[in-house]
Amino acid sequence: MDQFFVNVIPVIRLRSTAEDSNRGNLMIIYGGIKEENFRFTVTMLGGKLASLGFNVFCFDFRSNLDSSKFEKFGLCDRLDDAREVALWVRDNQGGPFSLLGLSMGGPLAVRVASELGEKVKNLFLVAPAAYHREAMKPEVKFGPRFKEIISVPESWRETDSFEEIKGICTNILVIKFQDDDVTPQQPKIYFDNIGSKATLTRQVRLVILEGGHNGTYTHPQRQEEIIGAIRDFLALPSMARD
């Protein structure tokens, strides 16, 4: 485990532990967590991804470095942080580049993937959320205005993310949880909006797993199911699936 900073953003790198494959670099963009220094918790999932052959990068948003300052940041700030780390990985680490966005991190991963284009080999979306385009504006922070926007029923349908995923031509795996009461419809809509160019020339798949929205970073069984879905998507040799 290596720890370093990309400007002011703390990053942990977990090197690939796979003996027979190196799948390049994978960056995890986590969701709407308020916990300080959450990157350390993310490494629990990151370590399992490293076993698939990825060099995994777990980082913290600036909003999660000091809980007293959480509401000084918003979705747009989180996008800036994710973009900065992604560009650093792209420019400073060799090999293919993949993104994994979970929940609130889903639309951020979609935006970054749309901007980086062919530089992204795989896009993994786990229970991806979607937000009204107003919630993405720089002046909207995680306070009353943000809560007002997302409290409007199905305001998430007025998002730019579903349009953005149409232009992404890479391998895309979308994972939906069967009993998800936070993002019950959004994952399927993301999947349905994947552009025809990607579906014709790349691997695209929707996987439905049991359970609810939470538990990705704390439940070993949930993590194993996610890793299993990604392993199958990558079509690892049968011996590596055991």
Side-chain angles (χ1 to χ4, degrees), residues 33-58:
I33 304 293
K34 294 185 177 180
E35 183 179 326
E36 289 185 5
N37 299 309
F38 193 67
R39 66 190 183 281
F40 293 102
T41 302
V42 176
T43 61
M44 296 173 63
L45 177 63
K48 292 179 171 62
L49 289 162
S51 71
L52 296 182
F54 291 105
N55 296 315
V56 182
F57 295 82
C58 309

Side-chain angles (χ1 to χ4, degrees), residues 42-92:
V42 176
T43 61
M44 296 173 63
L45 177 63
K48 292 179 171 62
L49 289 162
S51 71
L52 296 182
F54 291 105
N55 296 315
V56 182
F57 295 82
C58 309
F59 75 98
D60 262 311
F61 299 107
R62 285 170 293 159
S63 60
N64 294 72
L65 300 181
D66 182 344
S67 59
S68 68
K69 298 179 180 178
F70 184 84
E71 292 191 355
K72 291 186 177 182
F73 299 92
L75 270 177
C76 187
D77 299 300
R78 284 192 166 204
L79 174 60
D80 288 342
D81 295 346
R83 180 187 291 118
E84 186 164 353
V85 176
L87 291 174
W88 184 91
V89 174
R90 182 199 67 180
D91 294 340
N92 293 276

